[in-house]
């Protein structure tokens, strides 16, 4: 990836379009937002794939990510709590729980930060 300096921040051209990154939200995505998004969405995508492979009928998955940052240490991300809301029919709690654990172990982004950012997951099933 090649990034070009802009007046405020940097940008890069990707297949989907141009990405603007800046410490100021008026000019682009903040780096921590991209990091949290990458971790949460990667984990959610891996979970979706696992549930599909297990032939579980999932209609929708939404997720929230709560972030804990440490202002005393450069405002670094210390913890991300991901909560999934999984909508589907006849979803067994224990099988979904196993799938969530598998997703954590197989998500490249979670594994990339496992020794520096605590990532925890919870879920609920709705019909």
């Amino acid at each position: 990836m090649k990034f070009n300096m802009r007046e405020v921040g940097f940008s890069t051209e990707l297949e989907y379009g141009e990405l603007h990154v800046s410490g100021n939200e008026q000019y682009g995505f903040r780096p921590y937002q991209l990091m949290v998004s990458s971790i949460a969405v990667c984990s959610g995508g891996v979970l979706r794939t696992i549930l599909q492979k297990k032939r579980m009928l999932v209609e929708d998955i939404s997720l929230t990510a709560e972030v804990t940052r440490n202002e005393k240490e450069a405002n670094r991300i210390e913890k991300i709590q991901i909560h999934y809301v999984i909508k589907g029919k006849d979803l067994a709690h224990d099988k979904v729980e196993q799938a969530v654990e598998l997703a954590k172990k197989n998500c490249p982004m979670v594994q990339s930060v496992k020794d520096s950012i605590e990532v925890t997951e919870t879920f609920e099933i709705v019909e």
Side-chain angles (χ1 to χ4, degrees):
M1 297 174 84
K2 179 182 178 186
F3 293 87
N4 297 306
M5 187 173 79
R6 299 170 25 109
E7 188 173 325
V8 180
F10 290 83
S11 67
T12 186
E13 189 66 39
L14 303 169
E15 278 186 48
Y16 189 71
E18 192 172 14
L19 175 66
H20 297 267
V21 183
S22 174
N24 184 330
E25 287 182 16
Q26 294 178 347
Y27 299 100
F29 295 101
R30 293 180 65 198
Y32 96 90
Q33 293 171 324
L34 293 171
M35 178 170 271
V36 172
S37 297
S38 295
I39 292 166
V41 173
C42 177
S43 187
V46 172
L47 175 61
R48 178 183 185 174
T49 300
I50 291 167
L51 293 170
Q52 288 173 338
K53 286 183 178 182
K54 291 181 175 280
R55 299 175 190 216
M56 299 176 81
L57 301 176
V58 174
E59 295 172 29
D60 189 39
I61 298 174
S62 63
L63 61 93
T64 56
E66 297 291 326
V67 182
T68 303
R69 297 178 76 182
N70 186 337
E71 291 180 18
K72 294 178 183 175
E73 293 188 27
N75 215 13
R76 75 183 208 91
I77 299 169
E78 291 194 337
K79 181 177 182 178
I80 301 171
Q81 165 60 48
I82 300 170
H83 180 73
Y84 300 103
V85 178
I86 303 166
K87 183 178 179 182
K89 300 269 185 211
D90 302 320
L91 297 175
H93 187 273
D94 60 330
K95 289 185 179 182
V96 172
E97 188 172 44
Q98 290 172 349
V100 168
E101 283 300 314
L102 271 175
K104 185 174 185 173
K105 291 178 184 173
N106 289 287
C107 171
M109 296 306 300
V110 172
Q111 291 304 306
S112 294
V113 300
K114 71 178 181 180
D115 294 326
S116 59
I117 298 174
E118 179 185 356
V119 179
T120 58
E121 293 107 351
T122 56
F123 70 91
E124 63 184 282
I125 298 169
V126 296
E127 287 198 31

